[in-house]
Amino acid sequence: MANKGPAYGMSRDVQSKIEKKYDDELEDRLVEWIVAQCGAAVGRPERGRLGFQVWLKNGIVLSRLVNSLYPDGAKPVKIPDAPPTMVFKQMEQIAQFLKAAEDYGVVKTDVFQTVDLFEAKDMAAVQRTLMALGSLAVTKNDGHYHGDPNWFMKKAQEHKREFTESQLKEGKNVIGLQMGTNKGASQAGMSYGRPRQIIS
């Protein structure tokens, strides 16, 4: 963000529309979840979009978050002892979080781009990714989620049905309601308008 000049015209309009999608109430809920999930050691950000961005920017908090959703022996992201200070190292840490989030089950369309967070281009996308991650954690219900389960909606789960051979045969005899009925069908009384008039 430091090397980016002011936006004018259409660029400014687009950026302001993106910034309006950012939800302050959702930020509060996400901060509460991250602190509950990772512990108080991660600290708390200053309120607002910029404070939230600065808190997550180096990728350490995000990496701790995704690691906390796995059992002790299977942490997907390596966290350095000292937080990275070099830009490419910070971006690399964010990229590791994004890959781990996808491996956890977050759909590719819900995953933000590294620049969305690092340059604060689209913090609403960052919120969407964290919401998707939280929803998956609640849905999996494997004991690694900490916090209020009502903070996130559960994802729809597959409900397989098993049918016996006789049930499948019975189903072939039923006429589906989409097909209508053939009772009382007749063309009697149907007319198609007046006959063609030939004038000579």
Side-chain angles (χ1 to χ4, degrees), residues 32-97:
E32 289 303 319
W33 174 52
I34 292 170
V35 171
Q37 191 71 36
C38 302
V42 293
R44 285 182 177 274
E46 288 182 29
R47 281 187 61 80
R49 194 170 58 85
L50 187 62
F52 192 59
Q53 184 253 349
V54 168
W55 188 49
L56 300 176
K57 186 177 177 178
N58 67 7
I60 296 296
V61 173
L62 293 173
S63 299
R64 286 191 177 150
L65 175 65
V66 79
N67 279 352
S68 70
L69 298 173
Y70 284 88
D72 284 337
K75 306 290 185 198
V77 180
K78 186 176 185 306
I79 301 174
D81 296 331
T85 53
M86 298 171 77
V87 171
F88 78 92
K89 284 288 189 187
Q90 292 176 347
M91 292 179 91
E92 191 177 87
Q93 197 70 38
I94 294 169
Q96 285 182 35
F97 160 76

Side-chain angles (χ1 to χ4, degrees), residues 13-24 49 124:
D13 293 343
V14 168
Q15 190 59 38
S16 72
K17 282 183 182 176
I18 289 171
E19 287 173 5
K20 284 179 186 169
K21 290 181 182 177
Y22 186 81
D23 187 346
D24 292 319
R49 194 170 58 85

Side-chain angles (χ1 to χ4, degrees), residues 2-188:
N3 297 331
K4 195 168 71 172
Y8 297 101
M10 197 164 150
S11 300
R12 184 178 59 204
D13 293 343
V14 168
Q15 190 59 38
S16 72
K17 282 183 182 176
I18 289 171
E19 287 173 5
K20 284 179 186 169
K21 290 181 182 177
Y22 186 81
D23 187 346
D24 292 319
E25 289 178 23
L26 181 56
E27 175 196 313
D28 293 339
R29 186 180 343 151
L30 290 171
V31 168
E32 289 303 319
W33 174 52
I34 292 170
V35 171
Q37 191 71 36
C38 302
V42 293
R44 285 182 177 274
E46 288 182 29
R47 281 187 61 80
R49 194 170 58 85
L50 187 62
F52 192 59
Q53 184 253 349
V54 168
W55 188 49
L56 300 176
K57 186 177 177 178
N58 67 7
I60 296 296
V61 173
L62 293 173
S63 299
R64 286 191 177 150
L65 175 65
V66 79
N67 279 352
S68 70
L69 298 173
Y70 284 88
D72 284 337
K75 306 290 185 198
V77 180
K78 186 176 185 306
I79 301 174
D81 296 331
T85 53
M86 298 171 77
V87 171
F88 78 92
K89 284 288 189 187
Q90 292 176 347
M91 292 179 91
E92 191 177 87
Q93 197 70 38
I94 294 169
Q96 285 182 35
F97 160 76
L98 294 174
K99 183 181 180 330
E102 271 189 65
D103 292 345
Y104 191 73
V106 176
V107 185
K108 200 166 190 66
T109 54
D110 285 339
V111 175
F112 66 87
Q113 300 295 310
T114 305
V115 292
D116 291 339
L117 170 59
F118 198 80
E119 296 179 7
K121 285 194 181 284
D122 190 357
M123 289 303 293
V126 175
Q127 287 183 323
R128 270 195 314 274
T129 301
L130 293 173
M131 282 299 291
L133 187 65
S135 294
L136 274 169
V138 168
T139 305
K140 286 188 178 184
N141 196 18
D142 57 4
H144 297 294
Y145 174 84
H146 304 295
D148 186 350
N150 296 321
W151 285 339
F152 302 99
M153 289 191 314
K154 280 189 170 185
K155 297 250 182 214
Q157 293 176 302
E158 183 181 38
H159 182 66
K160 274 198 165 179
R161 291 168 177 84
E162 298 292 328
F163 294 104
T164 64
E165 207 54 45
S166 63
Q167 287 174 319
L168 290 172
K169 282 181 185 173
E170 258 180 59
K172 291 179 182 174
N173 299 331
V174 176
I175 295 177
L177 293 176
Q178 292 91 350
M179 297 176 203
T181 179
N182 60 1
K183 291 182 181 166
S186 149
Q187 290 183 341

